[in-house]
Amino acid sequence: RKEALAETRQALLDKRSKIVFVGVSGSGKTSLAAAALRASLAGIFPRPSVEWLKARDVALARSRHPLGQGDPQILDRAIKANLIVIDDLGQDPPPKTFQSHLLLDVVMERYDALGPTWTTTWLSLPEMSSRYGEGFARRILEGAKVIQCGHEKIQMSDEADS
């Protein structure tokens, strides 16, 4: 836990725009992300806009939105926010199509706009690639500081030993 906290502090000092907190269930990913968010916002006025998004809620937003009513409001908020945190990536239902899964849109838009995005997940790189596609996984991880939470290491690169 101390190592993860130190790595998070360093990522914040380095002004990393992407941080991925990865670990098994109960390893403290969400707690660490919340603490890092509080620490990074301390003393900043006016505060930047931050959206804390549960991956499941984002993924299902389009299917829960009335047809013909444009895009769900969560998409606009996620794209315009100074920083978003996607919490529990992998707890959302697997995408059936690109059009129905709003999470894919959010990640692609944030990537194109170079918007700071933090993610918490239990998925390894192969699992993320299999579930969402290699392009999605690359956009989440490219340039990101990966912080391993807990004792069990989760593979987040193509290298076998990392």
Side-chain angles (χ1 to χ4, degrees):
R1 178 116 173 119
K2 281 184 179 180
E3 279 180 32
L5 191 55
E7 286 185 62
T8 304
R9 251 190 226 113
Q10 190 58 50
L12 293 171
L13 289 172
D14 294 344
K15 300 198 182 308
R16 285 303 259 284
S17 65
K18 288 191 212 171
I19 302 176
V20 178
F21 301 88
V22 62
V24 297
S25 180
S27 62
K29 304 174 299 289
T30 298
S31 297
L32 184 58
L37 182 60
R38 280 192 299 277
S40 68
L41 295 177
I44 297 177
F45 296 102
R47 288 229 160 119
S49 61
V50 176
E51 288 291 329
W52 188 283
L53 308 166
K54 286 287 194 188
R56 181 176 178 75
D57 294 339
V58 177
L60 296 174
R62 188 166 278 143
S63 65
R64 295 176 178 165
H65 191 71
L67 286 175
Q69 299 291 316
D71 282 320
Q73 187 181 33
I74 197 168
L75 177 61
D76 191 47
R77 290 192 339 251
I79 291 169
K80 290 181 178 176
N82 297 112
L83 167 69
I84 67 167
V85 180
I86 301 172
D87 191 27
D88 284 335
L89 181 67
Q91 293 296 90
D92 50 297
K96 292 180 180 144
T97 66
F98 183 81
Q99 290 79 19
S100 67
H101 204 281
L102 193 61
L103 189 56
L104 302 175
D105 288 351
V106 168
V107 169
M108 300 299 185
E109 290 288 336
R110 298 291 298 180
Y111 178 84
D112 290 345
L114 303 175
T117 304
W118 295 3
T119 309
T120 71
T121 187
W122 52 271
L123 296 172
S124 67
L125 174 59
E127 291 168 326
M128 192 183 301
S129 295
S130 172
R131 185 182 188 104
Y132 302 104
E134 288 181 20
F136 177 91
R138 181 178 58 80
R139 284 169 176 85
I140 288 284
L141 292 166
E142 187 177 276
K145 172 63 179 173
V146 175
I147 298 174
Q148 295 276 346
C149 299
H151 298 292
E152 186 178 326
K153 282 277 219 190
I154 294 180
Q155 179 188 344
M156 294 307 285
S157 73
D158 290 327
E159 299 171 15
D161 60 336
S162 53

